[in-house]
Amino acid sequence: MTNAITINNLTYGYPDQDPLFHDFDLEVQEGQWLSIVGHNGSGKSTLAKLILGLLEANSGTISIFGQQLTIETLAEARAQVGMVFQNPDNQFVGATVADDVAFGLENRQVPSEEMPKMIEAVLQQVGMADFADREPHTLSGGQKQRVALASVLALKPKVIILDEATAMLDPAGKSAVLQTLKDLKNQYQDQLTLIVITHDMAEAALADRVVVINDGQLAFDQRPQDLFVQGQALKELGLDQPFESQLSQALPKAPNQYLTKQELAAWLSTLKD
Amino acid sequence: MNNLVIGQFIPGKAWLYRVDPRTKILVTVVYVFLLIFANTWPAYALATLFLALTLVLTGQSLELYWRGIKPVMWLIIFTVCLQLFFTGGTPVLFHWQFLKITLPGLINALYVVLRFVLIVLMSTALTLTTPPTAIASAIESLLKPLKAIKVPVAELALMLSIALRFVPLLMLETDKVMKAQKSRGMSLSTGSLIKRSKAVLPLLIPLFIGALQRALDLANAMEVRGFESADNRTRYRVLSFSKQDLVAALGTGLFVLLFIGLLWIN
């Protein structure tokens, strides 16, 4: 399995501040669904900006599918990695949903006559096809984030980074975005690498692998089910366990492992007899 | 803010909606330009007829246009007063102290009202039937010749369309900041003029900071989606002239000829 993203000895700090990352290493395999969690100010979003070349590392290397990120390879890297940002309004460039999806295609110089079909197809994928002519201020936050996802998908990236993309959404919008992510992952399987930056543990639980960043270091790098049973350690890092884990740990007889909501419900129902 | 008709786009299917935005902009410009020279009743009658035809082709109700005129009513009344009281000549119709109404003044005032109303309604008909994005791409297309003298037309058009896209958002934000400051005891409607203008400051600063943050975020989002320069891009919305544009051009041409003819006779 090849590495989608390889980070070696990364050092970065904002000017006039203590360095955020020092000799930081991370590898993300192609096709993986990775969650990056950490408390506010832990450097999660900075890491995403570094991977996309929006910020330049002080030292160390970032490689995308084996290609080292430099000024020369920047355009190529951005063709392979797409990103959905936190604020739904601030990433909506077009005046309508279709125009917004078209923006990236226009940048890639896709011929005008090919665009409508491509736009229709990606809006279908995120369930927003009926909203093509709507203006952004008539959409809910969750709908805007799904449009943002469609705009990224239209460029056919191999890696999609979501930087707290659900943090500003209501529960319904959040679950719609997460469902869309699951559908996409099912559809593309190993062709799509997902990096989800979040501080919502239920969202992190969807991943194959969770890394916890604390003070610019990897504090944990595990499968979500192994991470969530470590309640005390998580608390020390300023993170919550998902509700299911809190519940099952409060029940003395529950098995000492991570159970999803469904699994926990199934286990609880066996207690009746 | 939502009852402002001027500058608003209302979706529809009438004939004028199918005319290319470039045609509509050009016709509006020509119309406004010609009105400057209108100085006889027949000329105004012809211009009014042309406007009436245009309004019918927008398929919108007259009541809507009346709402469009209302906000500029005070401006019209003010200009009318200026014309009415400060135009010299004979015969004098009315005289009281320093105020004096003359026949040329009265006629001038009526002309000004007509001119004003005709221009406002014509521009309303343009924006009512043309989405802002179409206006932006039409302006880009019309300004293309300026590229030869190094005017960054593509950049300007992109700036315009992004600015248009953020107008509703900034309005919402202004509303939010206003409510937030009001809940902290700010009042924009009481106190002396100086006190009131000072109260605007705590409104503007959060708005400016918010707008700058948005601009930074937007720049990142644009860059990540492969934006490098406004020039090397293809276009999703392609403008194309059709049969309607020919009809509109012929109609306008006829109007221009008749109008110039009327001015000539005079």
Side-chain angles (χ1 to χ4, degrees), chain A residues 116-131:
Chain A
K117 222 168 54 203
M118 297 169 79
I119 293 169
E120 163 83 25
V122 289
L123 285 178
Q124 205 90 52
Q125 275 182 301
V126 300
M128 290 293 292
D130 294 338
F131 297 84

Side-chain angles (χ1 to χ4, degrees), chain A residues 49 52-54 74-75 78 81-83 85 87-96 98-112 115-116 119 133 135-137 151-152 155, chain B residues 9 11 131-133 158 161-169 172-173 176 210-211 213-238:
Chain A
K49 286 185 179 153
L52 277 155
L54 292 170
L74 195 58
R78 285 179 183 163
V81 185
M83 175 141 152
F85 294 84
N87 190 319
D89 283 310
N90 297 0
Q91 56 187 315
F92 211 110
V93 188
T96 67
D99 282 286
D100 190 58
V101 178
F103 178 78
L105 298 172
E106 291 174 329
N107 291 337
R108 294 281 157 76
Q109 303 186 30
V110 172
S112 307
M115 280 192 218
I119 293 169
D133 292 321
E135 290 170 24
H137 61 97
S151 302
V152 168
L155 304 175
Chain B
F9 168 69
T133 39
L158 189 69
S161 67
I162 288 175
L164 286 171
R165 176 249 169 284
F166 275 91
V167 167
L169 198 64
L172 278 179
E173 198 157 89
K176 220 175 0 181
Q213 186 54 51
R214 273 183 208 289
L216 286 175
D217 283 357
L218 188 72
N220 276 343
M222 286 170 70
E223 222 181 296
V224 164
R225 274 152 73 184
F227 180 78
E228 275 163 11
S229 89
D231 278 318
N232 303 321
R233 306 176 71 229
T234 47
R235 293 288 183 275
Y236 168 53
R237 298 199 183 269
V238 186

Side-chain angles (χ1 to χ4, degrees), chain B residues 19 30 34 48 140 156 160 174 183 192 216 222 235 238 257:
Chain B
V19 175
V30 167
L34 283 181
T48 310
E140 179 180 12
L156 287 175
L160 182 66
T174 313
S183 74
S192 67
L216 286 175
M222 286 170 70
R235 293 288 183 275
V238 186
L257 284 179

Side-chain angles (χ1 to χ4, degrees), chain B residues 18-254:
Chain B
R18 281 174 275 142
V19 175
D20 188 280
R22 288 170 295 183
T23 313
K24 284 189 269 189
I25 289 178
L26 285 178
V27 169
T28 311
V29 169
V30 167
Y31 184 79
V32 170
F33 180 74
L34 283 181
L35 269 185
I36 297 170
F37 299 102
N39 55 4
T40 62
W41 290 114
Y44 276 107
L46 183 66
T48 310
L49 187 73
F50 186 75
L51 176 84
L53 194 67
T54 311
L55 295 194
V56 168
L57 291 173
T58 63
Q60 300 291 348
S61 68
L62 275 181
E63 192 258 330
L64 187 75
Y65 291 105
W66 170 239
R67 278 204 286 138
I69 287 289
K70 260 201 278 183
V72 287
M73 216 46 161
W74 287 110
L75 196 60
I76 295 176
I77 292 173
F78 176 71
T79 1
V80 165
C81 289
L82 281 186
Q83 290 288 336
L84 206 55
F85 294 121
F86 296 103
T87 311
T90 49
V92 177
L93 299 176
F94 174 83
H95 199 160
W96 177 75
Q97 302 217 344
F98 66 97
L99 292 176
K100 186 169 73 173
I101 297 176
T102 65
L103 186 63
L106 184 66
I107 292 176
N108 251 338
L110 286 174
Y111 281 170
V112 166
V113 175
L114 258 176
R115 197 178 289 166
F116 217 101
V117 171
L118 290 177
I119 290 176
V120 168
L121 286 182
M122 196 50 140
S123 336
T124 308
L126 166 72
T127 54
L128 215 55
T129 60
T130 321
T133 39
I135 291 185
S137 36
I139 289 176
E140 179 180 12
S141 171
L142 289 171
L143 293 182
K144 223 174 243 164
L146 293 182
K147 253 186 191 161
I149 53 166
K150 298 241 159 71
V151 177
V153 177
E155 274 89 350
L156 287 175
L158 189 69
M159 275 162 61
L160 182 66
S161 67
I162 288 175
L164 286 171
R165 176 249 169 284
F166 275 91
V167 167
L169 198 64
L170 289 178
M171 276 190 174
L172 278 179
E173 198 157 89
T174 313
D175 194 47
K176 220 175 0 181
V177 174
M178 217 133 98
K179 278 181 186 145
Q181 302 291 38
K182 268 185 195 160
S183 74
R184 290 166 176 77
M186 181 196 78
S187 170
L188 279 177
S189 50
T190 56
S192 67
L193 198 64
I194 296 172
K195 208 172 160 194
R196 273 193 238 179
S197 14
K198 269 189 184 159
V200 175
L201 212 62
L203 222 146
L204 285 181
I205 290 172
L207 266 181
F208 267 112
I209 293 173
L212 285 177
Q213 186 54 51
R214 273 183 208 289
L216 286 175
D217 283 357
L218 188 72
N220 276 343
M222 286 170 70
E223 222 181 296
V224 164
R225 274 152 73 184
F227 180 78
E228 275 163 11
S229 89
D231 278 318
N232 303 321
R233 306 176 71 229
T234 47
R235 293 288 183 275
Y236 168 53
R237 298 199 183 269
V238 186
L239 299 173
S240 65
F241 290 116
S242 59
K243 206 176 72 200
Q244 288 91 313
D245 297 283
L246 188 66
V247 175
L250 286 176
T252 311
L254 186 67

